[in-house]
């Protein structure tokens, strides 16, 4: 009898351990709602990406809720502002996980912030889909519960520089980058193509984050005789650079990276921005997919939010769609373990704003297809080139 | 040679903007003995208000200028009355901390009231490019240099010949004696905040005209502060000139020593100057009799 009892106890204990904490109701889920958390920069200059990404999450959530929610449960979005300050990102993520007790996470802020918060995410085990700033560290090595939608900065730069190099053989090159992790990534990608294609780099500048006047930098670029220019600024920096080049009466073939590929930038650059090239993995708003997305978004967000839509809204939307679909596939009683398992099974999920998204066993990065676009100052839009 | 001239002109243009904001720092310090760490944010708010007027009321340059000046006066007066006056008599450290808190609030206000997108201030002028020989300059850049020079002359005359200017100098020299002479120190303080807000606001509007408006614009305050230290915290005119020196130094360093040196050149310059003249190039030596 005692032997039977001991065996039963052992079996029960083993079963509990096997199911793990997920079997006990995971946080953030009630009979009527599921909580999804996010931490973004909603104030300060990077709010441009944080606010836009959060609007993308809201659109996907509103769309799902309008269709009845996730298996009858409405989704509630818990959003925190980190002001792009890493300490506040960590604080914010801890708050949404421990205090708000969300079921899953989206976002999260910039690349440095996502990297810093990784130990918290890993330790908690919460299903997370990162969409704002894809950098290799986030998926190499793969973490069980963290998935990344997008393309790496390095690949983006390599794709852009390769395109410009093939289109402009034998030309002199100029590059300017920011003095931070973003700038290092841009420079590393650029250098790899320079080495492979033996590009002739005649100007290489490095500016301090926050610099607003680029008169001496662009004058140096002009003096160097550069004919192809990779503007490694983000938003205001690229605008300032292009306007300086206009003042100096030169117009090199210019490439910019996707963080600065937002339509209002073209308005501020004016004629100086016409014809600049950009690389991205989300659809341009001028294309059919972009227009369809805007049509879909219009009734789901406020007028102010609609005005705040940019490319980050598309990345946020795609990530939220993937997460919602994974939770949905878990049926009536979704758990963290099931959601993570379903995220891993994500295969060719269509979002309409980028190429189909897939993950896989041990693959936590969606590796989106890149495309080159060119600015059209007349219509203030980017149009696909290849 | 053409390279050098282009660097000098661009340096003078950005330096004039630093100079105007630096004068704003100095006006408050001279009248109240306080360093206002919200100066860059006040500059930014005035520029955003000018942009709002240009997009909602009228893009006419006179309407925008009048509206922006009025808004800057009100901003300065409101801050002085609601935030700074209650701090009168409190330790300087506490008052400075209040200005830091104010800076954070004003910075966040940009996103709450406006948005995080960059915007262009279009008033029908200032954005065009003129060519002096083969050197290109924006008309707004020429205008800001001229405005700084005019303001330097006007402020010199104001402090030297006007009753209010003399009263401000009296309060700055010894507020208790000034009070005994019938001068209202609180009124002088209010006037100083309003004047500082307007002068720095002019710099902000010119920056928005020559470059663009963005929530990062508050950083101009950080660039203008070394100009004030260089010129002398208590020297309004000296701060204006300090701005020009910092602008030129930055551009020459950026042009000849490389991009990375641009941002540190101004700070390197003030370290050297302060070692020789701790009170700034045009500042007054503080003598204490024991």
């Amino acid at each position: 009898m005692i032997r039977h009892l001991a065996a039963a106890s052992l079996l029960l204990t083993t079963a509990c351990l096997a199911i793990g904490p997920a079997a006990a109701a995971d946080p953030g889920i009630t009979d009527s709602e599921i909580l999804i958390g996010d931490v973004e920069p909603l104030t300060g200059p990077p709010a441009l990406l944080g606010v836009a990404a959060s609007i993308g999450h809201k659109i996907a959530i509103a769309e799902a809720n309008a269709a009845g929610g996730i298996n009858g449960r409405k989704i509630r979005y818990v959003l925190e502002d980190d002001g792009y300050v890493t300490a506040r990102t960590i604080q914010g993520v801890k708050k949404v996980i421990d205090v708000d007790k969300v079921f899953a996470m989206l976002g999260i802020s910039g690349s440095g912030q996502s990297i810093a918060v990784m130990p918290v995410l890993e330790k908690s085990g919460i299903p997370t889909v990162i969409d704002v700033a894809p950098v290799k560290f986030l998926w190499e090595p793969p973490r069980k519960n963290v998935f990344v939608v997008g393309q790496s900065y390095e690949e983006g730069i390599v794709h852009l520089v390769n395109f410009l190099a093939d289109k402009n053989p034998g030309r002199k090159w100029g590059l300017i980058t920011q003095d931070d992790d973003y700038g290092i990534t841009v420079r590393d990608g650029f250098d790899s193509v320079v080495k492979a294609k033996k590009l002739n780099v005649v100007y290489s500048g490095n500016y301090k984050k926050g610099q607003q006047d680029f008169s001496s930098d662009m004058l140096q670029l002009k003096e160097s005789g550069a004919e192809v220019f990779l503007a490694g600024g983000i938003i205001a920096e690229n605008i300032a650079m292009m306007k300086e080049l206009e003042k100096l009466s030169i117009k090199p073939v210019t490439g910019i990276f996707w963080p600065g590929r937002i339509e209002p930038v073209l308005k501020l650059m004016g004629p100086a921005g016409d014809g600049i090239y950009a690389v991205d993995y989300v659809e341009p708003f001028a294309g059919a997919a972009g227009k369809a997305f805007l049509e879909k978004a219009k009734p789901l967000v406020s007028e102010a939010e609609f005005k705040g839509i940019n490319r980050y809204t598309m990345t946020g939307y795609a990530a939220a769609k993937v997460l919602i679909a994974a939770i949905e596939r878990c049926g009536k009683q979704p758990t963290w373990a099931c959601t993570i398992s379903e995220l891993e099974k994500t295969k060719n999920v269509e979002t309409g704003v980028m190429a189909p998204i897939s993950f896989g066993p041990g693959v936590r990065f969606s590796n989106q297809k890149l495309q080159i676009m060119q600015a059209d100052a007349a219509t203030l839009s980017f149009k696909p080139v290849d | 040679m053409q390279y050098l001239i282009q660097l000098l002109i661009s340096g003078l243009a950005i330096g004039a903007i630093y100079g105007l904001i630096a004068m704003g720092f100095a006006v408050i310090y001279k009248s109240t003995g306080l360093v206002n760490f919200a100066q860059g944010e006040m500059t930014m708010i005035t520029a955003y208000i000018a942009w709002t007027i240009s997009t909602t009321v009228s893009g006419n340059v006179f309407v925008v200028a009048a509206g922006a000046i009025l808004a800057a006066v009100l901003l300065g007066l409101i801050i002085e009355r609601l935030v700074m006056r209650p701090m009168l008599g409190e330790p300087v450290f506490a008052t400075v901390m209040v200005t830091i808190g104010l800076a954070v609030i004003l910075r966040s206000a940009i996103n709450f009231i406006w948005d995080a997108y960059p915007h262009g201030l279009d008033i029908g002028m200032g954005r065009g490019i003129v060519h002096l020989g083969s050197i290109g300059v924006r008309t707004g850049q020429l205008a800001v240099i001229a405005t700084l020079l005019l303001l330097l002359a006007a402020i010199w005359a104001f402090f030297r010949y006007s009753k209010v200017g003399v009263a401000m100098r009296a309060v700055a020299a010894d507020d208790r004696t000034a009070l005994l002479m019938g001068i209202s120190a609180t009124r002088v303080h209010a006037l100083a905040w309003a004047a500082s807000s307007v002068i720095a606001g002019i710099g902000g509007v010119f920056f928005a005209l020559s470059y663009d408006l963005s929530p990062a614009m508050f950083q101009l305050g950080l660039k203008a502060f070394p100009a004030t230290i260089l010129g002398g915290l208590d020297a309004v005119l000296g701060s204006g000139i300090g701005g020009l020196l910092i602008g030129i130094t930055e551009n020459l360093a950026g042009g000849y020593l490389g991009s990375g040196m641009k941002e540190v050149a101004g700070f390197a310059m003030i370290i050297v100057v302060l070692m020789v003249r701790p009170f700034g190039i045009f500042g007054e030596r503080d003598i204490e009799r024991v």
Side-chain angles (χ1 to χ4, degrees):
Chain A
M1 179 68 185
I2 290 171
R3 208 159 4 140
H4 282 119
L5 267 176
S9 307
L10 193 66
L11 203 65
L12 192 66
T13 311
T14 313
C16 284
L17 282 173
I19 296 166
D26 280 321
I29 188 157
T30 66
D31 288 343
S32 57
E33 62 178 19
I34 292 178
L35 268 63
I36 293 180
D38 183 11
V39 179
E40 301 284 0
L42 305 176
T43 50
L48 203 60
L49 59 98
V51 171
S54 70
I55 293 169
H57 300 151
K58 284 178 191 171
I59 293 169
I61 290 169
E63 199 180 17
N65 282 342
I70 300 177
N71 296 316
R73 290 184 178 94
K74 295 282 180 191
I75 309 165
R76 187 152 63 85
Y77 183 48
V78 181
L79 179 62
E80 284 287 318
D81 175 23
D82 70 356
Y84 212 59
V85 177
T86 307
R88 285 178 62 192
T89 316
I90 297 171
Q91 210 175 18
V93 169
K94 282 183 174 170
K95 190 230 165 204
V96 292
I97 294 175
D98 298 336
V99 180
D100 298 312
K101 298 200 179 299
V102 296
F103 179 78
M105 289 289 299
L106 284 167
I108 298 169
S109 200
S111 55
Q113 287 76 12
S114 301
I115 291 168
V117 89
M118 191 56 82
V120 179
L121 295 172
E122 266 194 285
K123 195 179 168 196
S124 70
I126 189 168
T128 303
V129 183
I130 291 178
D131 57 80
V132 181
V135 282
K136 249 179 201 160
F137 178 87
L138 302 176
W139 62 86
E140 276 185 14
R143 276 88 176 177
K144 191 180 176 213
N145 59 318
V146 181
F147 296 78
V148 183
V149 169
Q151 183 49 270
S152 75
Y153 283 172
E154 291 91 337
E155 273 305 305
I157 284 296
V158 167
H159 192 79
L160 176 65
V161 179
N162 267 322
F163 170 83
L164 293 175
D166 293 343
K167 211 172 163 56
N168 303 279
R171 299 282 189 93
K172 294 177 193 168
W173 281 74
L175 160 81
I176 188 162
T177 52
Q178 194 164 279
D179 69 339
D180 61 358
D181 56 337
Y182 169 73
I184 291 168
T185 311
V186 171
R187 190 167 284 272
D188 286 349
F190 179 77
D191 286 344
S192 66
V193 185
V194 167
K195 212 171 160 186
K197 299 213 160 180
K198 296 187 172 51
L199 301 180
N200 178 16
V201 182
V202 292
Y203 172 74
S204 177
N206 189 34
Y207 70 88
K208 192 162 173 54
K209 192 176 177 178
Q211 185 173 318
Q212 292 168 316
D213 172 44
F214 288 87
S215 49
S216 60
D217 311 83
M218 292 304 102
L219 195 55
Q220 279 189 315
L221 181 82
K222 182 186 179 182
E223 289 294 300
S224 72
E227 298 161 293
V228 187
F229 173 47
L230 186 65
I234 301 182
I235 293 170
E237 301 86 356
N238 284 346
I239 298 169
M241 287 178 209
M242 297 313 291
K243 286 168 85 171
E244 279 300 327
L245 292 178
E246 183 187 33
K247 201 175 83 183
L248 297 170
S249 307
I250 59 164
K251 197 167 172 50
V253 175
T254 302
I256 63 166
F257 199 27
W258 64 65
R261 194 195 65 78
I262 56 170
E263 278 66 12
V265 163
L266 292 181
K267 191 178 173 191
L268 292 169
M269 284 180 179
D274 193 37
I276 60 171
Y277 290 96
V279 62
D280 210 333
Y281 54 88
V282 300
E283 295 291 337
F285 287 109
K291 283 176 186 161
F293 177 71
L294 290 176
E295 281 300 311
K296 184 191 288 178
K298 208 164 196 174
L300 299 175
V301 291
S302 69
E303 202 179 319
E305 285 174 329
F306 190 74
K307 280 184 188 163
I309 288 176
N310 62 37
R311 69 165 299 282
Y312 287 100
T313 311
M314 286 186 168
T315 65
Y317 174 79
K321 287 284 280 184
V322 165
L323 177 64
I324 291 167
I327 302 173
E328 204 156 32
R329 290 197 296 272
C330 288
K332 289 278 180 195
Q333 296 302 325
T335 60
W336 282 7
C338 173
T339 304
I340 291 165
S341 161
E342 287 302 324
L343 275 170
E344 194 173 84
K345 287 179 201 156
T346 296
K347 186 87 183 156
N348 291 327
V349 169
E350 291 282 356
T351 60
V353 294
M354 58 178 75
I357 296 170
S358 299
F359 298 116
V363 180
R364 294 293 186 263
F365 168 51
S366 72
N367 198 9
Q368 294 307 122
K369 187 176 172 242
L370 290 162
Q371 59 175 322
I372 300 289
M373 303 167 193
Q374 191 170 22
D376 177 20
T379 56
L380 297 179
S381 60
F382 286 90
K383 291 177 176 163
V385 172
D386 54 352
Chain B
M1 190 61 183
Q2 189 190 318
Y3 184 73
L4 173 67
I5 295 170
Q6 183 85 57
L7 284 174
L8 286 174
I9 291 176
S10 300
L12 278 173
I14 190 72
I17 292 168
Y18 296 158
L20 286 166
I21 302 167
M23 285 163 75
F25 273 112
V27 166
I28 289 179
Y29 184 82
K30 193 170 174 70
S31 308
T32 67
L34 181 73
V35 176
N36 173 25
F37 282 99
Q39 197 72 53
E41 284 74 7
M42 287 171 67
T43 303
M44 176 168 69
I45 293 278
T46 304
Y48 267 87
I49 292 172
W51 173 72
T52 304
I53 295 168
S54 75
T55 52
T56 56
V57 182
S58 164
N60 180 288
V61 62
F62 297 107
V63 175
V64 174
I69 289 171
L70 185 66
V73 168
L74 287 175
L75 179 69
L77 291 177
I78 290 169
I79 289 173
E80 191 280 331
R81 186 65 192 88
L82 298 183
V83 185
M84 303 318 298
R85 201 177 296 180
M87 295 302 293
L88 270 178
E90 299 296 334
V92 175
F93 179 74
T95 317
V96 168
M97 288 309 292
V98 165
T99 70
I100 292 173
L102 179 67
V104 175
I105 292 168
L106 293 179
R107 216 177 291 166
S108 301
I110 294 295
N111 276 87
F112 293 126
I113 302 172
W114 291 280
D115 56 40
Y117 281 96
H119 297 285
L121 177 60
D122 187 3
I123 52 170
M125 57 176 71
R127 298 197 151 221
I129 299 167
V130 288
H131 291 277
L132 311 169
S134 57
I135 294 164
V137 191
R138 289 200 188 269
T139 49
Q141 292 182 306
L142 293 175
V144 71
I145 297 169
T147 303
L148 175 74
L149 296 177
L150 279 173
L151 264 176
L152 285 174
I155 287 172
W156 175 81
F158 172 78
F159 279 121
R160 182 134 182 106
Y161 298 115
S162 79
K163 261 188 183 177
V164 182
V166 172
M168 285 177 87
R169 281 165 56 202
V171 171
D174 188 340
D175 54 353
R176 286 184 187 182
T177 309
L179 198 64
L180 291 172
M181 302 297 286
I183 297 168
S184 166
T186 50
R187 197 170 290 174
V188 166
H189 287 178
L191 185 66
W193 275 88
S196 162
S197 179
V198 170
I199 297 168
I202 292 171
V205 170
F206 271 111
F207 182 85
L209 205 55
S210 302
Y211 301 88
D212 283 308
L213 273 174
S214 84
M217 217 180 124
F218 71 90
Q219 291 173 357
L220 281 174
L222 305 176
K223 301 300 291 291
F225 188 62
T228 316
I229 301 291
L230 182 69
L233 250 178
D234 58 349
V236 180
L237 304 182
S239 295
I241 296 165
L244 293 176
L245 291 174
I246 294 275
I248 291 171
T249 307
E250 271 187 359
N251 250 29
L252 290 179
Y256 287 107
L257 303 177
S259 307
M261 290 306 293
K262 185 170 183 158
E263 297 292 298
V264 294
F267 290 93
M269 186 181 178
I270 63 165
I271 289 172
V272 173
V273 170
L274 289 183
M275 281 174 164
V276 184
R277 285 182 67 88
F279 35 89
I281 298 174
F282 303 99
E284 282 178 27
R285 185 193 292 269
D286 200 10
I287 301 168
E288 270 189 38
R289 299 189 195 284
V290 183

